[in-house]
Amino acid sequence: MDGSVVSGAQGTHWVEVARLEDIPRLGSRVVATATGDIALFRTSEDIVFALDDHCPHKGGPLSQGIVHGQAVTCPLHNWVIDLNSGEAQAPDVGCVKRTPVQVQEGRVLLALRA
Amino acid sequence: MVRLLSATAAIRTHTRMNMLSPQRQRLVVIGNGMAGMRTVSELLARTPHRYDITVFGAEPHPNYDRIALSSVLAGEKTLDEIVINSRAWYEENKIRLITSDPVVAIDRVARTVTSSSGLVAPYDRLLLATGSKPLVPPLPGLTLPGVCTFRDIADVGQMIAASETHQRAVVIGGGLLGLEAAWGLRRRGMSVAVVHLMPTLMERQLDVAAGTLLQRDLDERGIAFFTNGQTEEITGTDHATGVKLADGREVPADIVVVAIGIRPNIDLARACGLEVNRGIVVGDDMATADADIYAVGECIEHRGQVFGLVLPIWEQAKVCAARLAGDEDAIYVTPPLSTKLKITGIDVFSAGALAAAAEEDEELIYQDKKRGTYRKLVLRDNRIVGTVLYGEVKDGPWYFQQMREGTDIEAIRDRLILGEAAASLTGTVDPTAKVAALADSAEICGCNGVCKGTITGKITELKLTTLDGVRAHTKASASCGSCTPLVEGLLALTAGVDAKAAGPRPMCKCTTHGHAFVRRAIVADGLKTIPKVMQHLGWLRPDGCHSCRPALNFYLLCAWPGEYVDDQQSRFVNERNHANIQKDGTYSVIPRMWGGQTNPTELRAIADVADKFGIPEMKVTGGQRIDLLGVKREDLPAVWADLNAAGMVSGHAYGKALRTVKTCVGSTWCRFGTQDSTSMGVALEKMTWGSWHPHKVKLAVSGCPRNCAEATIKDFGVIAVDSGWELHIGGNGGIHLRGTDLLCKVETPEEVLEYCGAFLQLYREEAYYLDRTAPYVERVGLDYVKAQVVQDAANRKALHARFLFAQGFAQFDPWAAGGHVANTFKTLVPAE
Ligand SMILES: Cc1cc2nc3c(=O)[nH]c(=O)nc-3n(C[C@H](O)[C@H](O)[C@H](O)COP(=O)(O)OP(=O)(O)OC[C@H]3O[C@@H](n4cnc5c(N)ncnc54)[C@H](O)[C@@H]3O)c2cc1C
Ligand code: SF4
Ligand code: FES
């Protein structure tokens, strides 16, 4: 698709992966990338987050969890992951890798490694 | 000495005790209400033996919490719960209580009072605590049956009775009292209109902005408003039929509640020649012009002011008790007052000036339209002189404290309007730390005038661990409830307990309400979306969490079939993806097999699907169907399409829903079979498939008591016998194995269907989310279920009808096109 590469910095490119409306509010979509699946989450306030689709507990697909506030609950054993930090909520301990994401004119752009 | 003219046993004891202890003085109290009894309690605390006390009450009840009548009307409290002083208390304190017998005359020369039954009681000191009367304008039709006021238990009784037999209510008066009456009647299912003389509601406590928000919120809850409405007449000939307004508008009603205000009850005082104005005139010592006669409460006028809230009355009671106990220095000063509206889910706080009144006054205003909150502060000389809060009131007491203490707010002015947390340096306020910092003399409960030291003292002395315990022993937080967080803080501080855990368990951390309360509110308050529920019931987190959202989604679905739009994002992954997620993130797919029956076409289609999609494992389930394991998310829509093409539909093996109906072959094949259990099972499954429940639901039908279908560990199990069908409920083969309870025996398959539908609907409507039928039946009791489903035929038919009605919207195959958006199962790929 044309114009998907918006800018480049330190070997990463902003790549368009979806339109905002592709992701349901309080829902998620999965993006397949060279380094594995990434889950895009959209909050009730239309903030979009991108985290590896892989729970730090036992690898559950976070994209299939329930989104609430700025957190998602893993569908397998209910760990709650903070979408801002990628950290699991206490008492659980673990962290999910985040990927920079931005929404421009309804286009969701991910910072992917070239 | 004996001035007694007529006597009852109570009064006879009175004289005898006087003879035994001649030094005791006689105190007679007229009015067994909040002010009088508070004064007596304070007096007993100071000097338990100084007086022989006689109390006359016009009402038949011991002293109760009049404030809580609103909660009784709204069905949130019972009459027993609002008694302040039980009859035993009067006995313990040797107080003679004479109820249902108002005093009709005071003889100041003879120093006696006479009651309507002719009882005469002599006094050395007399206390007038006659309260006030509802203000009623001279309207035509006022005396019609169906017209009442809102002042005492009798009024509430009348309103509750009317709400049970009638449909429409009009409340005249849009002030505190009128709105609480309107809300209570609404909660009881009436359609309610409020007629209010002024353009906005509660104009004495709220400014126009807050009054308008209040009207909007109440309007949303189904209360209609006629503002600028001057009532001209109550219509009707032998019963009220409505009200007519001066501008010609007419509002029909079966019951009319007049709640436009109160008027001090001064008749007795006037008749005996005491100085009266609007109220009985008292000095700073609470004494009337006659030094032996005191007066407290809503019947008095002090320095030109009359009263309608308990806070100043508690102060009066203190001063009056001190005076009666011989303290010559006690002086009454009216404290600053604040008001709160007691309508669950609507938060209003108001104190002091409503608006800038003078040149040098300033207003700070902050409004969040989306959240429906509003706050206004009125400042004079850098000090708060007025507060109006709407929607969010937790900072009310803090503003009020700054106002009372005259705190200079210059340093925090820029953040002041955002509340205590923003204004304090750290940015957060821990309620426990906050109460820890208070002095023992600091007042915690304004309604009942309880200070910190009293509460912590009782907690330690009586080893209290619950909020209810503190309420019972100190009265703190027992009336309007706004100090509850502080009392909880004190419990945490003193007893180290988390008081919140003590009440009905909250649904989750997002709310303080339990499941039952939320379910009731959804229906009673007409809440039809998750955001509405959350807003209305004060959810603590804006979009809830993984635990409350699925519960609310089900409760709404159950309450408003056909109307509520299922919220996919509030469903657990399995119900959103119509398949069971497995530990590796793949899914299992189970097509429905009616009553466990299948045929070669279906089996061939299943085999083809398994081949085509490389499905790694297949298994026969405990519910008599075939499980395809290891299906990838992206393949789900295509797998379903193939199964659909062969005539198969979703088995809902993934849902809090009807799962399976297990059957045996029954009389068709089995030599023991008494009935056709398979067909019965198929009929049950055809009726119940697609239904959503608080948890999964499993059915079974066995053809004889040998019970090969294991019906006695199912939610609804049917066992065929020669003469008909035995119906069993509440079984569970899961972690907590539980055999069913026998519900009853019926004769025909039609009855089996009706009882099944009725029981499942009862469970759907009443169980808490994630409770299976076993804990539900244990919670409500088998007798209750029998009463609802077996003994009450009309109720059973109604439940069954509601079940079928809901099924009209639930029985569609989520696998078929339209039931899901295939698109959302696709993985996205970055654009090249
Ligand atoms: C529905 C409702 C809600 C309220 N909500 C609040 C609130 O949220 N906050 C708040 O601060 N205040 C509230 N109030 C006001 C509060 O209840 C009163 O201020 C308080 O009860 C006044 O106490 P009192 O003793 O002066 O009068 P009452 O409590 O009315 O007691 C007077 C008693 O005297 C009796 N009596 C009268 N004449 C005679 C006689 N001749 N002989 C014998 N007995 C007699 C009456 O029957 C009555 O029982 C509310 C009131 C009502 C009705
Ligand atoms: S339950 Fe009775 S009828 Fe059914 S298969 Fe077993 S023995 Fe036969
Ligand atoms: S894999 Fe996410 S909670 Fe266990």
Side-chain angles (χ1 to χ4, degrees), chain B residues 8 48 60 75 107 314 373 415 421 481 587 637 669-670 679 689 695 752-753 814:
Chain B
T8 63
D107 183 338
W314 297 156
T373 63
R415 291 158 285 154
Y587 293 82
W669 298 95
C670 177
S679 300
W689 77 274
H695 207 306
V752 174
L753 291 173

Side-chain angles (χ1 to χ4, degrees), chain B residues 287-345:
Chain B
T288 64
D290 180 334
D292 288 331
I293 305 183
Y294 290 79
V296 289
E298 286 186 349
C299 61
I300 71 162
E301 177 175 329
H302 173 259
R303 295 183 179 239
Q305 193 180 358
V306 293
F307 304 88
L309 292 171
V310 293
L311 188 73
I313 293 176
W314 297 156
E315 205 49 43
Q316 295 162 11
K318 248 185 231 161
V319 172
C320 186
R323 288 281 174 169
L324 284 170
D327 175 351
E328 301 281 296
D329 300 327
I331 292 287
Y332 170 72
V333 183
T334 298
L337 301 177
S338 67
T339 31
K340 180 176 179 281
L341 183 67
K342 300 187 297 299
I343 295 186
T344 309

Side-chain angles (χ1 to χ4, degrees), chain B residues 528-547:
Chain B
K528 299 195 175 173
T529 64
I530 291 179
K532 274 260 156 60
V533 176
M534 290 180 169
Q535 191 199 1
H536 186 89
L537 300 180
W539 236 246
L540 306 172
R541 290 190 274 203
D543 28 65
C545 71
H546 60 268
S547 150

Side-chain angles (χ1 to χ4, degrees), chain A residues 6-101:
Chain A
V6 177
S7 71
Q10 293 155 2
T12 61
H13 295 273
W14 287 106
V15 183
E16 177 172 350
V17 290
R19 304 221 24 112
L20 184 62
E21 62 265 24
D22 294 334
I23 317 169
R25 271 218 182 107
L26 290 176
S28 166
R29 290 297 298 273
V30 186
V31 186
T33 72
T35 51
D37 283 356
I38 291 181
L40 298 175
F41 300 94
R42 175 175 172 191
T43 69
S44 57
E45 279 148 351
D46 286 348
I47 303 170
V48 175
F49 293 95
L51 275 70
D52 279 5
D53 193 15
H54 193 87
C55 178
H57 179 218
K58 293 191 174 174
L62 295 174
S63 57
Q64 307 305 309
I66 288 181
V67 180
H68 46 96
Q70 300 198 341
V72 64
T73 300
C74 176
L76 292 198
H77 318 94
N78 288 340
W79 278 32
V80 176
I81 308 294
D82 184 329
L83 296 176
N84 274 298
S85 62
E87 300 276 358
Q89 199 177 76
D92 303 317
V93 182
C95 189
V96 191
K97 189 170 147 266
R98 293 160 298 155
T99 301
V101 62

